[in-house]
């Protein structure tokens, strides 16, 4: 019951991941096709920073107003405490890793490395399946264990994809920068025009 009532708030993270991941990945692919590798790198850096900042804002919002949001969704009694635990680990602590997991996978996929992107996301999924019973039953963490397993799995996926990007940075067609660089507003509009429908 706690997971069910928390899911609408948790799935907003999936929407953010699609917004910046699919929107950014699509534009990166088109820029590479036009021979604009420099701009593709700028877009990759932009979507990473933008998705991270948007997710941080949402995570802080849930941290402050999560209980009220759950109450609006009809949560009460014992379910409320369990739902709060689930949201804490999946959204407050695990929000940024979940979104970055999707964004990084789309950046890698946009360069024609779909297999690597799929492996990166699958590693997290398989680890989640393995950790769930360990945390829920072995460590008696109940719903918090399921949420923590999700959080850890997304962190592992992000580390795998980041490791790939760092290892292949010299030959990569998309050169990501540490800090965002100035991009045209038309590029931002293109990211949102493709990403918004996927997010919705």
């Amino acid at each position: 019951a706690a997971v069910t009532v928390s899911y609408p708030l948790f799935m907003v993270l999936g929407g953010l991941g699609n917004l910046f991941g699919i929107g950014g990945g699509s534009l990166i692919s088109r820029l590479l096709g036009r021979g604009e590798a420099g701009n593709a790198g700028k877009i990759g850096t932009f979507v990473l920073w933008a998705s991270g900042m948007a997710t941080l804002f949402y995570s802080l919002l849930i941290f402050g107003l999560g209980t009220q949001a759950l109450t609006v969704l009809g949560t009460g009694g014992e379910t409320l405490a369990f739902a709060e635990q689930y949201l804490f680990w999946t959204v407050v602590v695990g929000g940024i890793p979940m979104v970055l997991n999707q964004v990084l996978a789309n950046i890698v996929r946009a360069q024609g490395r779909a297999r690597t992107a799929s492996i990166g996301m699958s590693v997290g999924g398989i680890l989640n399946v393995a950790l769930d019973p360990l945390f829920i039953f072995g460590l008696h963490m109940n719903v918090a264990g399921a949420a923590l397993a999700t959080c850890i799995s997304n962190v592992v996926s992000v580390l795998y994809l980041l490791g790939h990007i760092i290892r292949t940075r010299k030959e990569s067609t998309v050169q990501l920068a540490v800090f965002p660089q100035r991009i045209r507003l038309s590029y931002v509009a293109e990211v949102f025009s493709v990403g918004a429908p996927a997010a919705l």
Side-chain angles (χ1 to χ4, degrees), residues 15 27 84 161:
L27 179 55
E84 287 173 334
L161 291 167

Side-chain angles (χ1 to χ4, degrees), residues 9-189:
L9 301 174
F10 173 66
M11 285 306 296
V12 171
L13 295 174
L16 288 172
N18 285 337
L19 175 65
F20 294 103
I22 293 177
S26 171
L27 179 55
I28 289 170
S29 293
R30 284 179 278 129
L31 288 170
L32 291 175
R34 296 200 296 256
E36 298 180 37
N39 285 329
K42 291 179 181 179
I43 294 301
T45 304
F46 164 74
V47 293
L48 281 173
W49 273 92
S51 63
M53 296 303 292
T55 307
L56 177 62
F57 175 78
Y58 180 67
S59 296
L60 292 174
L61 191 66
I62 292 298
F63 181 70
L65 301 173
T67 301
Q68 291 88 332
L70 287 168
T71 303
V72 169
L73 291 172
T75 315
E78 291 183 53
T79 306
L80 180 60
F82 287 117
E84 287 173 334
Q85 293 173 22
Y86 187 81
L87 280 184
F88 177 77
W89 287 110
T90 57
V91 178
V92 177
V93 176
I96 289 179
M98 179 179 171
V99 172
L100 289 186
N101 181 15
Q102 295 182 59
V103 174
L104 285 169
N106 276 284
I107 290 173
V108 171
R109 189 177 293 113
Q111 300 174 67
R113 293 172 174 160
R115 180 181 177 185
T116 302
S118 297
I119 290 173
M121 298 192 78
S122 298
V123 163
I126 293 168
L127 182 62
N128 198 350
V129 171
L131 291 179
D132 269 341
L134 173 64
F135 289 169
I136 295 170
F137 303 114
L139 299 180
H140 307 289
M141 293 179 68
N142 299 315
V143 72
L148 180 58
T150 300
C151 178
I152 291 173
S153 300
N154 281 316
V155 169
V156 170
S157 287
V158 166
L159 291 176
Y160 176 88
L161 291 167
L162 273 177
H164 166 78
I165 289 172
I166 292 170
R167 284 194 313 272
T168 60
R169 65 186 182 278
K170 290 184 179 178
E171 65 265 21
S172 176
T173 51
V174 177
Q175 294 292 321
L176 300 175
V178 176
F179 298 106
Q181 300 165 326
R182 183 174 295 180
I183 58 174
R184 296 204 305 255
L185 286 177
S186 61
Y187 284 158
V188 177

